[in-house]
């Protein structure tokens, strides 16, 4: 089976920094994606890592360590609108077959 | 482009009825995916197509579920007969050729309630 684990819930304060971790054990690996999903809406793409290291995009950064089966999403300067679920997804092979973690529900408080 | 289009957005039906969900992928995308999302199980891949051909349907829960893609611009997911445990949000997603940063683009979803 494919295992992708994330914390269920996190809470942070507006303006702060939060790190959402994801660990995976999958039969294949061809990239890791992070998606954001607001309540009642579809997931939307945030970031992509296929090599080890940090990818930065504005207030969001994503890190990958393939040897450890580990990734994190870092959100800086949190805003209220960042309250959402964040889904970690692993692309298994070179065919866009992706498996998703259960998601981390982030609540940003004033 | 209008993005991935799904219909209906909401469906309420009674146990035993047939349900058909529809999806129009983004024009030019070669892959189409059907997912189911529930609070208990998260986002689960049901089936995906490449160039209209089903590639992996191992996620389809049972024979009551079937999916077709008669052409590059249309796919259906059918549940017959429906059961209360099928209540979930069903997402369709599409993507370009595999590899690189090509990601999946999700439709708005169909919220299915089976009474």
């Amino acid at each position: 089976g494919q295992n992708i684990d994330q914390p269920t819930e996190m809470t942070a304060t507006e303006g702060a920094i939060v790190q959402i971790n994801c660990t995976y054990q999958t039969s294949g690996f061809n990239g890791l994606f992070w998606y954001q999903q607001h309540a009642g809406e579809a997931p939307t793409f945030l970031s992509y890592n296929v090599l080890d290291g940090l990818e930065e995009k504005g207030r969001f950064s994503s890190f990958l360590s393939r040897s450890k089966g580990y990734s994190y999403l870092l959100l800086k300067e949190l805003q209220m609108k960042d309250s959402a679920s964040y889904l970690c997804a692993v692309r298994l092979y070179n065919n866009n077959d992706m498996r998703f973690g259960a998601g981390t529900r982030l609540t940003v408080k004033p | 482009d209008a993005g991935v289009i799904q219909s209906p957005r909401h469906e309420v039906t009674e146990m035993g009825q047939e349900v058909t969900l529809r999806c129009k992928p983004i024009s030019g995308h070669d892959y189409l995916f059907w997912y189911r999302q529930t609070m208990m199980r998260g986002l689960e891949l049901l089936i995906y197509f490449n160039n209209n051909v089903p590639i992996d349907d191992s996620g389809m829960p049972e024979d009551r579920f079937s999916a077709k893609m008669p052409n590059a611009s249309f796919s259906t997911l059918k549940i017959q007969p429906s059961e209360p445990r099928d209540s979930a949000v069903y997402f369709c997603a599409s993507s370009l050729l595999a590899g690189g940063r090509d990601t999946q683009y999700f439709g708005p979803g169909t919220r299915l309630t089976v009474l």
Side-chain angles (χ1 to χ4, degrees):
Chain A
Q2 320 292 350
N3 292 316
I4 301 173
D5 295 314
Q6 313 175 228
T8 304
E9 292 190 38
M10 298 184 72
T11 303
T13 304
E14 192 176 16
I17 299 173
V18 71
Q19 178 175 313
I20 302 174
N21 296 325
C22 171
T23 58
Y24 63 90
Q25 289 180 302
T26 55
S27 57
F29 180 84
N30 192 19
L32 187 140
F33 295 78
W34 283 94
Y35 283 79
Q36 180 189 59
Q37 185 177 25
H38 285 100
E41 297 183 10
T44 55
F45 170 73
L46 279 181
S47 70
Y48 165 76
N49 296 71
V50 68
L51 300 177
D52 291 353
L54 189 68
E55 291 278 341
E56 298 187 80
K57 194 161 73 171
R59 294 190 298 115
F60 294 3
S61 303
S62 56
F63 172 83
L64 174 66
S65 169
R66 289 171 296 170
S67 62
K68 296 181 179 178
Y70 168 69
S71 173
Y72 68 72
L73 179 69
L74 193 71
L75 292 76
K76 305 175 188 174
E77 302 169 14
L78 280 172
Q79 302 175 8
M80 299 299 290
K81 67 178 181 179
D82 297 330
S83 292
S85 287
Y86 291 86
L87 307 175
C88 171
V90 174
R91 183 168 60 202
L92 300 182
Y93 311 107
N94 192 31
N95 58 8
N96 261 354
D97 179 1
M98 293 209 295
R99 303 306 165 102
F100 285 78
T104 299
R105 187 164 58 205
L106 174 66
T107 301
V108 179
K109 296 187 174 179
Chain B
D1 200 309
V4 177
I5 299 172
Q6 291 186 248
S7 64
R9 294 293 307 276
H10 301 273
E11 177 83 21
V12 180
T13 190
E14 294 189 346
M15 182 174 63
Q17 296 298 306
E18 177 179 296
V19 174
T20 300
L21 312 181
R22 297 173 177 79
C23 175
K24 176 177 167 50
I26 294 173
S27 177
H29 280 192
D30 297 302
Y31 289 84
L32 184 139
F33 304 80
W34 282 101
Y35 291 90
R36 176 173 68 177
Q37 187 174 41
T38 62
M39 289 292 291
M40 291 295 295
R41 301 174 68 91
L43 197 61
E44 302 175 278
L45 177 66
L46 299 177
I47 184 171
Y48 76 93
F49 296 81
N50 179 23
N51 291 325
N52 313 337
V53 176
I55 302 300
D56 185 352
D57 65 355
S58 59
M60 296 285 261
E62 48 199 273
D63 292 345
R64 297 183 299 105
F65 286 68
S66 62
K68 295 181 180 179
M69 192 166 186
N71 56 62
S73 59
F74 183 66
S75 176
T76 59
L77 178 68
K78 186 175 293 186
I79 308 173
Q80 166 63 18
S82 58
E83 297 182 2
R85 58 188 168 134
D86 301 331
S87 296
V89 180
Y90 291 82
F91 287 105
C92 174
S94 70
S95 70
L96 286 168
L97 293 175
R101 291 181 171 272
D102 290 335
T103 186
Q104 296 182 16
Y105 295 88
F106 284 77
T110 296
R111 182 173 296 276
L112 173 65
T113 303
V114 183
L115 303 174

